[in-house]
Amino acid sequence: MSTGSAQAPRVRACVGLGANLGDAVATVRDAARALAALPGISGWALSRFYRTPAWGVTDQPDFINAAAVFETDLPAMALLQTLLSIETALGRRRAPDGRDRWGPRTLDLDLLLYGDARLALPGLIVPHPHLHTRAFALVPLLDVAPDAQIPGVGAAADILAGMDRSGIEAIP
């Protein structure tokens, strides 16, 4: 019989980072630092930063996008709450009615993948429900997780191969 306490299993989490208001590069950099500093994070990797055209509502500034991959023992909902806290700490304010869903933002942190989990919880769907349609998320994700699989969809690299990547530029 084991006398040690059970540890939560570690999961590879993939988070998309994006911003297009204020000093977006600095904000994404600060968000990445906050993520990397979370307790229990290991295997941390951050993609290059990319300038990407706005998606959804296109009449707004270009975005700065990146992706982070790391191992965590945080449950998915706890990780989501942490992401939302980082957004708030770095100036993100959400309209209560969601009218700003695809509009300009100081910061957006999306839980793209959580291991091979497929979750549909209040406020959280994993894999991110639009990941397989968004080159601006897949390009940085594949920088840090070239083997990424989107559960129920397939290999992220195969999906990206058939997508238009025009306007997505790595920032030197």
Side-chain angles (χ1 to χ4, degrees):
M1 187 179 339
S2 173
T3 58
S5 61
Q7 272 196 301
R10 297 193 63 77
V11 173
R12 181 170 89 160
C14 302
V15 174
L17 301 88
N20 73 338
L21 292 178
D23 187 344
V25 171
T27 302
V28 170
R29 190 175 295 120
D30 290 346
R33 283 190 197 114
L35 281 170
L38 292 175
I41 296 295
S42 64
W44 169 261
L46 181 66
S47 73
R48 293 177 288 177
F49 286 20
Y50 291 87
R51 183 172 316 284
T52 65
W55 186 91
V57 177
T58 57
D59 186 21
Q60 60 179 314
D62 287 348
F63 276 80
I64 301 302
N65 288 105
V69 175
F70 51 89
E71 299 286 325
T72 182
D73 55 8
L74 284 174
M77 283 304 292
L79 181 54
L80 173 64
Q81 291 306 313
T82 300
L83 298 178
L84 295 173
S85 295
I86 292 169
E87 285 182 354
T88 300
L90 292 174
R92 173 80 186 261
R93 302 293 176 261
R94 294 177 186 268
D97 63 2
R99 72 180 178 279
D100 59 348
R101 183 174 183 155
W102 289 312
R105 60 201 65 190
T106 53
L107 180 62
D108 193 26
L109 299 176
D110 288 327
L111 183 54
L112 302 176
L113 299 169
Y114 185 78
D116 60 2
R118 293 175 77 178
L119 304 171
L121 304 169
L124 176 63
I125 299 174
V126 175
H128 188 284
H130 302 291
L131 178 58
H132 66 284
T133 66
R134 295 178 173 176
F136 70 81
L138 291 172
V139 169
L141 175 62
L142 288 166
D143 271 2
V144 289
D147 62 338
Q149 296 285 321
I150 302 173
V153 179
D158 293 344
I159 295 161
L160 181 61
M163 297 177 88
D164 178 11
R165 290 179 256 177
S166 60
I168 298 175
E169 303 171 356
I171 297 173

